[in-house]
């Protein structure tokens, strides 16, 4: 049996979610925009899902827009808000550890003539609030800070950030894709004006996500040419996906209180054993203010992709921020941002635990990892 | 991104040949890839103008290890002149292909080989003369 420790990349579809989706992949195939009853029945189901989601995440129902996933939502929100609010200004701030779908989109906006600032983070992965305060201006339209980082699991103080951001009349966007169910989200209470997420990060299907746009905000659509989502996002409703997203979200928060201590205990046990049994390893980031399922570890003297491949041949699936694993051969800018030296950037493995992991799997992984690290270190030239 | 390694690459990664450092080597050389941070360290033993032994150490990904392993296997026994002509395409061919963004690993391995041979020649200048004659390799013996 494979051991899946890459739940921040994607998760296994929950069978209960699949069951909820199935009717909409077969008999209930109507287009939720169609006028006839096959379509309109699905329209009712769609709007119920939207209300269910709003109840859990605490935003206004009409603010939830279904998309293909968080990457689309991030693109839509960054580009759409900046384009539609030029009367306020052309300045946008994003954190230095944002997901590429925010980071690269900000860079692309820069080329279009917008002014982009990057908010630094401290070595524990926390946004530097003093720096943010200094960077904020009257013409800052949007600030984007992710709730939980995908690589090091650092959890941001969203309430404090929102407060600062609103002081200049700036909108606050948070990519909450890694935060389900690790944070209790109440968009309105927390002062989050805009948010993005994907269903597949919490045992829902791939290819569906949400953009939250607080009603009343001006935004331009990214995909136009249809009246779906009040014209904010054209394209036939992905009803099986939307039903899957809503069901996965409901399960995630219903089971949250039982899940969080369980996964934290497993993660802490894993880290304690590794510290004891493998020399020359370090935790990237801070163990506090970190999502309960994340470990990002530096294994001295050896390269991350080699560790990953060695584990993969043993049926253990993890992830790395090393340059060798990246398409552009660039190492993780997140690890750079939290202060890792260049020579340390390629020796890191991310373990992201999830709902289905067991202690037995962790024990097996520790044994395998000890062997892997020993083997690769035996012929490392690094002194 | 396709990062599918061939079975042969995985095998060479899991069971690399010629790893380590040669005792009393005739030359050693380190190379590093500025782009991805990979490093290779070669040591070599030459006798009678031929590569008698070659070993390597690696800080690198699976294909870095696999390509260096294949290279050492292929050049062992070659004359210095023959080894200098050894190209990265031979490694890629031997492994049955490499993912496009991993081809540079084979180039780093060849760069390391070139460097260790150059270091050897610098330390053994007499052989530079024979190198000139290598156009007819048979005479080198």
């Amino acid at each position: 049996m494979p051991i899946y420790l890459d739940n921040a990349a994607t998760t296994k579809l929950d069978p209960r979610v699949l069951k909820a989706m199935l009717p909409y992949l077969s008999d209930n195939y109507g287009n939720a925009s169609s006028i006839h009853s096959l379509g309109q029945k699905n329209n009712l189901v769609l709007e119920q899902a939207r209300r269910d989601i709003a109840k859990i995440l605490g935003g206004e129902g009409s603010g939830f827009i279904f998309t293909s996933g968080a990457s689309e939502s991030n693109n839509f929100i960054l580009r759409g808000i900046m384009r539609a609010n030029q009367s306020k200004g052309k300045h946008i701030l994003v954190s230095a550890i944002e997901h590429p779908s925010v980071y690269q989109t900000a860079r692309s906006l820069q080329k279009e003539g917008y002014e982009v600032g990057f908010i630094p983070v401290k070595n524990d992965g926390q946004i530097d609030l003093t720096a943010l305060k200094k960077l904020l201006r009257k013409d800052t339209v949007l600030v984007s800070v992710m709730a939980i980082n995908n690589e090091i699991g650092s959890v941001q103080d969203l309430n404090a950030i929102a407060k600062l951001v609103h002081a200049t009349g700036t909108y606050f966007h948070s990519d909450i894709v890694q935060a389900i169910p690790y944070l209790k989200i109440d968009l309105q209470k927390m002062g989050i004006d805009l948010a993005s997420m994907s269903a597949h990060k919490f045992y829902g299907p791939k290819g569906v996500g949400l953009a939250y746009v607080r009603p009343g905000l001006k935004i331009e659509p990214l995909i136009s040419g249809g009246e779906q989502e009040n014209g904010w996002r054209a394209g036939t409703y992905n009803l099986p996906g939307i039903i899957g997203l809503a069901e996965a979200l409901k399960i995630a928060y219903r089971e949250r209180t039982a899940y969080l201590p369980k996964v934290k205990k497993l993660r802490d046990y894993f880290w304690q054993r590794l510290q004891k049994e493998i020399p020359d390893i370090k935790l990237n980031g801070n163990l506090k203010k970190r999502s309960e399922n994340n470990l990002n570890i530096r294994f001295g003297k050896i390269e991350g992709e080699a560790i990953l491949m060695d584990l993969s041949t043993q049926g253990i699936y993890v992830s790395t921020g090393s340059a060798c694993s990246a398409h552009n051969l660039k190492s993780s800018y997140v690890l750079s941002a939290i202060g890792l030296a260049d020579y340390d950037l390629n020796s890191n493995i991310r373990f992201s635990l999830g709902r289905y992991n067991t202690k037995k799997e962790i024990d097996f992984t520790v044994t395998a990892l000890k062997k892997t690290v020993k083997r690769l270190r035996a012929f490392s030239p690094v002194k | 991104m396709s990062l599918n390694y061939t079975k042969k690459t995985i095998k060479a990664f899991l069971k690399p040949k010629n790893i380590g450092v040669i005792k009393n080597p005739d030359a050693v050389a380190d190379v590093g890839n500025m782009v991805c941070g990979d490093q290779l360290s070669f040591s070599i033993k030459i006798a009678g103008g031929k590569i008698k032994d070659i070993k390597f150490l690696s800080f690198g990904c699976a294909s870095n290890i696999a390509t260096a392993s294949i290279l050492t296997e292929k050049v062992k026994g070659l004359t210095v002149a023959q080894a200098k002509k050894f190209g990265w395409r031979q490694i890629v061919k031997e492994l049955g292909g490499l993912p496009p963004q991993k081809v540079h690993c084979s180039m780093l391995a060849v760069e390391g080989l070139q460097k260790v041979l150059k270091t050897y020649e610098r330390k053994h200048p007499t052989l530079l003369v024979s190198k000139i004659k290598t156009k007819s390799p048979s005479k080198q013996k």
Side-chain angles (χ1 to χ4, degrees):
Chain A
M1 268 292 273
I3 297 174
Y4 189 73
L5 299 174
D6 200 14
N7 289 279
T10 195
T11 55
K12 185 179 173 182
L13 188 71
D14 188 306
R16 293 169 290 180
V17 174
L18 177 64
K19 203 178 154 206
M21 290 170 70
L22 281 174
Y24 303 96
L25 287 161
S26 51
D27 293 346
N28 307 346
Y29 55 85
N31 185 330
S33 302
S34 296
I35 310 293
H36 50 68
S37 71
L38 190 69
Q40 284 305 300
K41 266 186 202 161
N42 279 355
N43 179 270
L44 290 176
V45 172
L46 170 78
E47 293 310 325
Q48 185 58 47
R50 204 191 301 275
R51 281 194 295 275
D52 291 347
I53 290 165
K55 212 170 149 191
I56 295 171
L57 298 177
E60 283 184 53
S62 60
F64 290 97
I65 297 166
F66 293 108
T67 66
S68 66
S71 286
E72 183 194 322
S73 301
N74 285 333
N75 268 269
F76 165 48
I77 287 168
L78 261 69
R79 292 178 201 276
I81 288 287
M82 293 313 289
R83 285 173 188 161
N85 293 278
Q86 296 188 40
S87 56
K88 156 111 174 133
K90 296 188 87 173
H91 186 229
I92 172 174
L93 295 172
V94 306
S95 93
I97 57 169
E98 290 302 298
H99 184 268
S101 59
V102 167
Y103 200 87
Q104 296 296 343
T105 302
R107 285 238 178 266
S108 146
L109 283 166
Q110 207 166 19
K111 280 180 203 152
E112 285 179 32
Y114 293 91
E115 200 186 331
V116 181
F118 294 93
I119 313 157
V121 293
K122 295 179 284 185
N123 287 358
D124 59 0
Q126 295 292 308
I127 292 291
D128 186 337
L129 292 175
T130 320
L132 170 60
K133 208 172 172 181
K134 276 186 198 150
L135 285 165
L136 276 163
R137 310 190 313 220
K138 269 192 176 156
D139 65 338
T140 310
V141 177
L142 183 65
V143 165
S144 185
V145 177
M146 69 205 316
I148 292 182
N149 180 266
N150 50 311
E151 292 185 40
I152 53 172
S154 52
V155 180
Q156 302 298 335
D157 186 348
L158 298 178
N159 292 299
I161 297 168
K163 226 181 215 175
L164 268 182
V165 168
H166 288 155
T168 47
T170 303
Y171 300 137
F172 179 37
H173 167 243
S174 187
D175 178 351
I176 59 170
V177 74
Q178 297 287 344
I180 315 290
Y182 300 97
L183 294 183
K184 254 197 172 147
I185 304 276
D186 189 329
L187 295 166
Q188 272 173 321
K189 241 191 214 162
M190 295 164 90
I192 301 171
D193 303 300
L194 303 130
S196 314
M197 63 132 108
S198 285
H200 74 100
K201 304 286 192 189
F202 49 94
Y203 312 91
K206 290 163 184 68
V208 63
L210 271 176
Y212 178 72
V213 180
R214 179 164 61 77
L217 296 198
K218 280 190 289 179
I219 188 163
E220 260 185 34
L222 189 68
I223 299 171
S224 55
E227 283 311 304
Q228 295 89 352
E229 307 287 1
N230 293 318
W232 299 126
R233 204 275 189 183
T236 301
Y237 288 112
N238 169 11
L239 197 62
I242 291 165
I243 296 305
L245 187 156
E247 188 63 23
L249 191 67
K250 280 190 255 179
I251 294 172
Y253 279 97
R254 199 167 60 221
E255 297 180 351
R256 179 176 188 266
T257 33
Y259 167 69
L260 287 190
K262 187 191 143 218
V263 75
K264 183 175 186 296
K265 198 175 155 194
L266 209 54
R267 192 268 317 265
D268 291 345
Y269 168 73
F270 187 27
W271 175 227
Q272 268 161 19
R273 276 203 67 184
L274 290 180
Q275 271 175 296
K276 242 184 255 161
E277 296 172 47
I278 301 181
D280 192 10
I281 62 171
K282 273 205 175 103
L283 182 73
N284 294 315
N286 193 320
L287 203 56
K288 285 174 195 160
K289 289 189 187 171
R290 187 186 199 101
S291 67
E292 285 84 347
N293 68 328
N294 174 290
L295 277 182
N296 190 309
I297 297 170
R298 188 159 90 230
F299 294 87
K301 300 185 179 66
I302 49 178
E303 200 280 327
E305 196 255 25
I307 303 171
L308 182 153
M309 284 297 165
D310 196 287
L311 290 176
S312 174
T313 61
Q314 301 173 69
I316 300 167
Y317 305 135
V318 299
S319 145
T320 174
S322 100
C324 290
S325 71
H327 201 46
N328 58 6
L329 295 175
K330 280 186 183 154
S331 53
S332 159
Y333 59 83
V334 173
L335 296 177
S336 281
I338 62 164
L340 263 71
D342 284 353
Y343 55 82
D344 277 336
L345 287 174
N346 293 313
S347 301
N348 305 285
I349 294 289
R350 176 187 72 184
F351 302 93
S352 46
L353 280 60
R355 190 181 281 172
Y356 302 119
N357 291 124
T358 62
K359 182 166 177 285
K360 212 173 143 193
E361 289 182 331
I362 297 300
D363 287 330
F364 185 89
T365 303
V366 173
T367 308
L369 203 49
K370 277 159 76 175
K371 219 169 61 192
T372 298
V373 170
K374 202 174 165 194
R375 172 175 101 78
L376 294 172
R377 279 186 181 159
F379 56 93
S380 167
V382 183
K383 299 268 154 56
Chain B
M1 170 170 76
S2 171
L3 250 180
N4 280 303
Y5 289 130
T6 61
K7 272 188 187 148
K8 216 164 171 186
T9 308
I10 291 289
K11 200 181 153 199
F13 160 61
L14 290 176
K15 301 236 180 288
K17 300 274 162 53
N18 305 310
I19 49 174
V21 184
I22 296 172
K23 259 192 191 169
N24 307 316
D26 288 323
V28 292
D30 301 328
V31 282
N33 185 307
M34 295 305 281
V35 183
C36 69
D38 280 1
Q39 297 168 41
L40 284 171
S41 175
F42 284 100
S43 54
I44 201 163
K45 195 94 194 159
I46 307 243
K50 275 186 178 175
I51 297 175
K52 202 181 155 217
D53 199 5
I54 179 166
K55 285 190 190 298
F56 77 98
L57 298 174
S58 153
F59 172 93
C61 61
S63 79
N64 173 286
I65 295 164
T67 51
S69 170
I70 293 293
L71 175 132
T72 55
E73 279 189 279
K74 286 281 147 191
V75 301
K76 215 187 260 190
L78 295 188
T79 65
V80 171
Q82 285 167 334
K84 282 171 86 172
K85 283 186 209 147
F86 187 82
W88 58 269
R89 283 191 179 80
Q90 283 167 268
I91 301 176
V92 178
K93 199 177 154 197
E94 187 67 25
L95 290 171
L98 274 174
Q101 71 274 32
K102 291 292 182 183
V103 170
H104 75 271
C105 294
S106 64
M107 295 175 185
L108 185 70
V110 170
E111 193 191 320
L113 173 70
Q114 299 287 357
K115 195 171 171 189
V116 77
L117 291 174
K118 231 177 242 167
T119 309
Y120 170 77
E121 287 183 333
R122 217 175 295 132
K123 283 167 77 182
H124 303 79
T126 46
L127 280 174
L128 279 174
V129 182
S130 66
K131 192 193 93 184
I132 296 161
K133 290 177 190 165
T134 52
K135 275 173 187 164
S136 44
S138 57
K139 281 185 189 168
Q140 211 184 343
K141 291 173 187 174

